[in-house]
Amino acid sequence: MSFSIDGISSLVSNAQNSAAAGSASALKNSISSVSSGSSEEELLSVCKDFESYFVEEILKEVKENLISDDDEDKDSSLSTLTDFHMDSTIELVADEIVDQVGENYTQQLYEQMKRNYGIE
């Protein structure tokens, strides 16, 4: 059995796409599970997850806008691996941003959802 850089690159690319879809799907399931019977802790967790996902998507867009055309001419397999690790890093940075400075937005979203679902 042999592996080529292009084959590995393809596997990483597929894993990256699956991870992105999985993250969005997990968030959708998490949000869908909120109801009037949810606890305040569950609701706060969902709000934090949503905010983290939102910040993550913004950071990805910023990254895309900062990459120059010269960077796109590099080896595609190396680029795919770099993108995979960059996405993981962006996810961690987004979580850290939400934990450190996202409190106001999370709290506003939490209070609004609490009112909407009648959670006390």
Side-chain angles (χ1 to χ4, degrees):
M1 175 183 251
S2 66
F3 291 99
S4 69
I5 294 297
D6 291 333
I8 293 171
S9 174
S10 176
L11 288 172
V12 169
S13 181
N14 290 340
Q16 187 178 13
N17 292 337
S18 295
S23 178
S25 178
L27 179 62
K28 181 180 176 185
N29 291 339
S30 180
I31 290 172
S32 297
S33 70
V34 174
S35 68
S36 59
S38 298
S39 70
E40 290 185 12
E41 292 81 24
E42 290 171 326
L43 182 59
L44 186 58
S45 176
V46 167
C47 291
K48 244 183 152 172
D49 290 346
F50 173 77
E51 184 178 8
S52 183
Y53 181 78
F54 182 72
V55 170
E56 181 182 336
E57 291 302 308
I58 290 171
L59 291 174
K60 285 179 183 178
E61 284 299 315
V62 168
K63 181 194 86 159
E64 291 298 318
N65 289 325
L66 292 177
I67 294 177
S68 68
D69 292 335
D70 294 338
D71 291 340
E72 293 176 8
D73 294 334
K74 293 182 181 175
D75 181 25
S76 67
S77 60
L78 180 61
S79 176
T80 302
L81 289 170
T82 302
D83 287 345
F84 179 75
H85 289 292
M86 181 64 80
D87 287 347
S88 297
T89 302
I90 286 174
E91 185 177 335
L92 292 172
V93 169
D95 289 343
E96 194 64 30
I97 288 172
V98 169
D99 286 342
Q100 290 188 12
V101 297
E103 195 171 303
N104 290 335
Y105 180 74
T106 301
Q107 192 63 34
Q108 289 176 0
L109 183 60
Y110 167 76
E111 293 297 330
Q112 182 63 45
M113 289 184 73
K114 193 173 164 184
R115 283 191 298 271
N116 288 350
Y117 286 100
I119 297 173
E120 297 183 27

